[in-house]
Amino acid sequence: MGHTTTTDTIRGTKERKRQSAMEWFLGRLKRDKWMYLLLLPGLLYFLIFKYVPMWGVLLAFKNYQPFTGFWNSEWVGLEHFRNFFQNPDFGRLLRNTLLLSFYNLVFFFPAPIVIALLLNEIRKDLYKRTIQTLIYVPHFISMVIVASISYVFLTTEGGIVNSLLEQYTGHKIDFLSDPGWFRPLIILQTMWKECGWGTIIFLAALAGVDTEQYEAAIVDGANRWRQMWHITLPSVRSTIIILLILRVGDVLENGFEQIYLMTNALNREVADVFDTYVYMMGITQGAFSYSTAVGLFKSIVGVILVFTSNYLAKRFGQSGIY
């Protein structure tokens, strides 16, 4: 009898807590209804275009045939993953992808930080706004246009750069076909196109730095370099860590369009990455299940790297992304 009474009491307590939580939720929903209404389009976007299509990853475990349909295709488990890891191209694709990501982390990632720090030191607002506008503009240029500009400047058939090289050195350099120049070109294109846009976040973070800290540093005799090192950089450190974590998560993502446009028969050995491989296998050869397996592999690695880098950041006393 006592046991039954205790059980009923626990159930009653849980029921009251559930009702209280529901009343709290409905109260918040009624109070902030316009805020939730503004949130609705974003939620619908992610639900329709991000979460619902996730059912498509089941293709990686099926031998998908368009005529038999999604649900009636044969279930093959991890067969496509085994084929991918045993493929002779896997090592080359992994090497090319990781090298490009490494160069991006070393050269491209710090560039917006350096530009933001330099812009922050400019005291003339007119000069600062003019420079910001000029370096923002390339972000809005299509990658097709960027590739076309690269071709016009670097081609051996009348390109401006090679014309100058031939005039002053007597020989040309085949930038577009030489495998050794492929990765530097990709990094330079990325830096020219995206560095200015990437400074927006860091400039916003720098705008929140308390000016009294600089005044105190000046009183203590700190020069501009010391102020930047001891005040400015620590103020944006958390922003740098968060963006670095997100960047590490994209280590297997090099961007399809840029790589595809700059690839040709002579540099393909170093140009092929996972993104272009998925396109080649999935679209041009119709291996839908196999290409889905490759894409799922990239996503899983990205998630693991994000959680790992976030864990390490917190272990070293930094604020992570969650």
Side-chain angles (χ1 to χ4, degrees):
M1 188 69 177
H3 176 72
T4 304
T5 304
T6 304
T7 304
D8 292 339
T9 303
I10 294 174
R11 286 178 180 174
T13 303
K14 289 182 177 179
E15 186 64 28
R16 284 193 297 271
K17 287 183 178 179
R18 191 179 299 112
Q19 291 177 355
S20 176
M22 181 60 66
E23 290 173 0
W24 175 85
F25 173 74
L26 292 176
R28 290 291 299 269
L29 189 63
K30 183 178 180 180
R31 188 189 69 182
D32 302 325
K33 57 183 177 182
W34 298 115
M35 295 297 293
Y36 287 111
L37 189 62
L38 289 173
L39 185 64
L40 186 60
L43 290 176
L44 289 176
Y45 167 78
F46 280 99
L47 179 65
I48 296 172
F49 296 104
K50 300 296 182 180
Y51 286 96
V52 173
M54 286 178 68
W55 285 102
V57 301
L58 291 175
L59 283 179
F61 307 97
K62 288 173 169 280
N63 185 19
Y64 175 69
Q65 300 296 331
F67 295 104
T68 57
F70 181 83
W71 297 110
N72 295 325
S73 296
E74 179 188 4
W75 183 272
V76 295
L78 300 176
E79 179 182 340
H80 297 302
F81 293 93
R82 286 194 294 267
N83 293 337
F84 175 54
F85 296 141
Q86 294 171 3
N87 193 315
D89 290 330
F90 175 75
R92 179 173 61 89
L93 294 169
L94 183 63
R95 181 179 66 252
N96 293 341
T97 302
L98 291 179
L99 278 174
L100 274 177
S101 295
F102 174 75
Y103 292 149
N104 267 315
L105 281 174
V106 172
F107 297 105
F108 169 62
F109 182 78
I113 304 172
V114 175
I115 294 174
L117 292 174
L118 294 176
L119 287 173
N120 191 59
E121 295 300 314
I122 298 177
R123 295 293 175 256
K124 297 279 188 180
D125 287 339
L126 177 62
Y127 296 156
K128 186 175 182 178
R129 288 197 298 269
T130 302
I131 295 173
Q132 283 180 277
T133 301
L134 291 176
I135 63 177
Y136 289 169
V137 169
H139 171 77
F140 300 99
I141 299 176
S142 167
M143 188 53 71
V144 176
I145 304 301
V146 174
S148 300
I149 293 173
S150 301
Y151 178 82
V152 170
F153 272 81
L154 302 176
T155 181
T156 55
E157 304 298 328
I160 299 174
V161 174
N162 270 306
S163 297
L164 292 174
L165 284 174
E166 186 177 26
Q167 180 179 350
Y168 290 103
T169 65
H171 62 85
K172 300 179 180 180
I173 299 176
D174 197 353
F175 295 102
L176 300 175
S177 300
D178 187 351
W181 279 100
F182 177 79
R183 295 185 184 109
L185 281 179
I186 294 296
I187 302 303
L188 288 172
Q189 285 179 346
T190 304
M191 292 178 67
W192 177 75
K193 188 175 186 299
E194 301 296 345
C195 271
W197 188 254
T199 60
I200 293 176
I201 297 176
F202 296 106
L203 285 173
L206 290 172
V209 180
D210 188 0
T211 55
E212 291 184 359
Q213 297 185 41
Y214 292 108
E215 295 170 359
I218 293 173
V219 171
D220 290 339
N223 55 26
R224 298 289 286 274
W225 171 254
R226 289 293 181 183
Q227 294 174 39
M228 181 185 296
W229 185 258
H230 293 289
I231 300 175
T232 308
L233 272 177
S235 299
V236 298
R237 182 167 50 197
S238 60
T239 304
I240 295 173
I241 294 297
I242 290 173
L243 292 179
L244 179 61
I245 292 172
L246 296 176
R247 180 61 196 169
V248 168
D250 289 334
V251 72
L252 296 185
E253 299 280 347
N254 297 125
F256 164 76
E257 187 179 12
Q258 181 185 15
I259 306 296
Y260 181 76
L261 291 170
M262 297 302 296
T263 301
N264 54 59
L266 297 178
N267 63 17
R268 190 174 299 278
E269 184 65 25
V270 298
D272 279 339
V273 294
F274 288 128
D275 294 312
T276 55
Y277 185 71
V278 168
Y279 168 79
M280 182 184 69
M281 298 302 297
I283 303 300
T284 63
Q285 298 188 22
F288 301 110
S289 294
Y290 182 79
S291 59
T292 303
V294 178
L296 183 57
F297 162 74
K298 288 168 45 187
S299 301
I300 292 173
V301 171
V303 170
I304 293 172
L305 289 174
V306 166
F307 278 100
T308 303
S309 55
N310 186 77
Y311 170 76
L312 292 175
K314 288 192 171 183
R315 282 295 302 270
F316 286 99
Q318 302 298 321
S319 57
I321 59 175
Y322 62 89

